Amino acid sequence: MTNSERSPREPGIAGAIREAIRAGGRTGRDMDGRERRCISFRDYMAICLYDPAYGYYRGPEKVRVGREGDFYTSSYIGDVLGERLGAYARGLAAERFGRAETVELVDWGGGTGRLAKQMLGGWNAAAEAAGAGETGTGEAGAAAFEGPRVRVTVVDDDPAHRREAETRLAAEIAAGAARVLSAAEAEAQPWRERPVVVVANELLDAMPVHRVVLRGGRLREWAVAWDDESGRPVPCAAEPSTPRLAETMARSGIRLREGQTAEIGLEAADWIASLAGKLGRAIVAVVDYGDEAEELTAGHRMAGTLLCYRRHVASGDPFEAPGEQDITAHVDFTSVRAAAEAAGWSALWYGTQKRFLVEAGVLERLAEHAFADPFHPVARTNRAIRQLLLSDGMSELFKVLVLAKG
């Protein structure tokens, strides 16, 4: 019996990891071939990110996104993405739900409410444009301007993020046009009572993933043990924790090369499928970095796609600072789309963020100007559009998947 098995639960993230390993009952072999107690990498990642007391998204309350956090999301590149998503959502809602109904626009995993406020602005601007375009058409024009009406909901489990969202949306909340919920509160909502548009912007990449590797021609799963000597978690390999890993790989056509590692996002696929049971008439727009399974497991990705972010610095070591850094992996849109369609969703649109923005009219926002001030609103909007469409491959790396049901 090791020291970690004899010790009472320690405080901190190390104690949470060691206790999970002690209680789990699984074994694997470390890089030196020694047998060790272990947990799956998926369970380790879940503790690091979501342990109630010490997880990255549950620990000491601070904002994780933006200049003072550890990473940026696309909503921090001006207001363009949010405005285009809001305008697109309104148009699709009017087409599928009718013009007179109130639609719930839900930013699931919405963080600080920045994207939600942008989407609400884009929705309302599109409504005003529709009304202006139909001026003089009597009741039809009035209906176009008035509807579909909208209430925006931010869903996030980070208390610091919820407080900032409540501050940012204070005026809208007071007017009954916005609200902020925890995930538990959101799960209890009667979503079927009205049409819903859910936007999941960089949400699925934050869900824990399993990691698998092909060794000696056999599928193995990366697991995590605790090394008392170094006082830190270490990798080991174990038998797959669930047959769903091989099943998902088979459905997605994934064939690993010897020694190749890949991430399997069962949780992301399950989440998108579970929405089908919660919602009635609904649209879901997933915006995230990722690709098809074939690309994510190509020969140039022998180590998988896992990355960690801390103070805006990327790292490939998920064991360096557990609970103090974000851990993320590219979204496998092949498996997400397959799970969605099996649950009753229909895919309406899929492509790169660049193509989505262009088709959503972002180029119409570009404006000629002679302002010398680089911080003038027009100059800033033009710069944000260029950055979203052209900078460092983001526009191609990010994908948009739009689903509908009902």
Side-chain angles (χ1 to χ4, degrees):
M1 183 177 290
T2 67
N3 290 337
S4 63
E5 292 173 304
R6 289 195 299 268
S7 301
R9 170 142 186 187
E10 307 167 18
I13 195 74
I17 296 168
R18 287 162 65 105
E19 174 64 18
I21 292 171
R22 185 201 66 78
R26 295 191 67 200
T27 60
R29 294 195 177 275
D30 66 16
M31 298 302 97
D32 296 322
R34 293 175 295 182
E35 188 174 39
R36 290 179 176 267
R37 281 184 176 269
C38 62
I39 55 175
S40 68
F41 182 86
R42 180 265 162 216
D43 290 348
Y44 168 78
M45 184 174 172
I47 294 170
C48 289
L49 296 182
Y50 299 109
D51 180 81
Y54 307 111
Y56 177 77
Y57 286 109
R58 300 288 188 274
E61 294 186 9
K62 69 170 186 175
V63 172
R64 273 77 177 173
V65 186
R67 183 174 298 177
E68 303 303 321
D70 295 304
F71 56 88
Y72 287 99
T73 66
S74 297
S75 64
Y76 279 77
I77 304 175
D79 296 333
V80 175
L81 176 64
E83 289 178 354
R84 290 298 90 200
L85 278 169
Y88 177 86
R90 183 197 179 274
L92 198 53
E95 176 186 317
R96 296 189 67 88
F97 304 145
R99 293 177 178 271
E101 294 196 66
T102 297
V103 176
E104 291 278 358
L105 178 59
V106 184
D107 186 4
W108 210 296
T112 62
R114 184 182 179 94
L115 182 69
K117 193 173 183 76
Q118 294 167 359
M119 291 194 297
L120 190 58
W123 182 296
N124 291 333
E128 291 176 9
E134 297 187 31
T135 299
T137 59
E139 293 182 4
F145 180 78
E146 292 175 0
R149 292 175 292 277
V150 64
R151 177 173 68 174
V152 69
T153 298
V154 174
V155 179
D156 201 275
D157 253 3
D158 188 304
H161 286 176
R162 287 203 304 274
R163 281 200 299 274
E164 182 156 335
E166 287 168 351
T167 299
R168 176 171 277 123
L169 294 165
E172 290 83 358
I173 292 171
R179 58 181 177 166
V180 179
L181 305 175
S182 68
E185 291 170 330
E187 290 290 340
Q189 293 297 305
W191 296 114
R192 289 180 171 275
E193 292 182 359
R194 63 178 58 176
V196 177
V197 177
V198 174
V199 174
N201 179 54
E202 296 187 59
L203 171 66
L204 301 191
D205 68 84
M207 295 184 179
V209 294
H210 294 262
R211 304 192 84 205
V212 296
V213 61
L214 192 67
R215 292 182 123 188
R218 293 176 56 210
L219 184 67
R220 306 282 284 169
E221 182 175 5
W222 284 116
V224 179
W226 187 270
D227 183 66
D228 287 324
E229 187 173 331
S230 64
R232 61 173 280 166
V234 294
C236 62
E239 292 295 323
S241 58
T242 169
R244 291 185 62 199
L245 298 175
E247 292 164 4
T248 298
M249 293 172 65
R251 280 196 302 270
S252 297
I254 296 174
R255 293 187 177 182
L256 298 181
R257 296 156 181 81
E258 179 65 27
Q260 185 176 21
T261 290
E263 290 79 30
I264 308 296
L266 299 183
E267 220 152 301
D270 289 346
W271 183 82
I272 204 75
S274 73
L275 281 182
K278 296 182 178 74
L279 308 178
R281 291 174 296 156
I283 298 163
V284 174
V286 176
V287 184
D288 226 314
Y289 52 89
D291 217 313
E292 298 298 314
E294 182 180 8
E295 166 59 25
L296 297 181
T297 56
H300 63 280
R301 293 190 183 275
M302 291 297 291
T305 67
L306 196 83
L307 280 175
C308 306
Y309 290 92
R310 189 182 187 197
R311 298 167 189 162
H312 299 285
V313 175
S315 160
D317 185 358
F319 308 119
E320 177 62 31
E324 299 176 18
Q325 62 180 351
D326 189 28
I327 307 175
T328 180
H330 286 26
V331 174
D332 174 4
F333 278 95
T334 303
S335 65
V336 167
R337 189 169 55 249
E341 291 175 345
W345 293 104
S346 298
L348 299 184
W349 197 95
Y350 173 71
T352 64
Q353 180 176 282
K354 177 179 180 178
R355 184 160 71 89
F356 173 83
L357 287 170
V358 170
E359 292 185 12
V362 72
L363 296 180
E364 298 170 10
R365 294 288 313 280
L366 285 171
E368 293 186 13
H369 69 90
F371 302 112
D373 179 8
F375 298 104
H376 186 279
V378 174
R380 292 178 64 154
T381 296
N382 283 355
R383 189 162 58 248
I385 292 171
R386 286 195 297 271
Q387 189 173 352
L388 281 170
L389 296 183
L390 302 175
S391 73
D392 63 23
M394 176 188 289
S395 61
E396 301 291 338
L397 178 61
F398 276 73
K399 306 298 188 299
V400 179
L401 171 64
V402 182
L403 305 163
K405 71 180 288 281

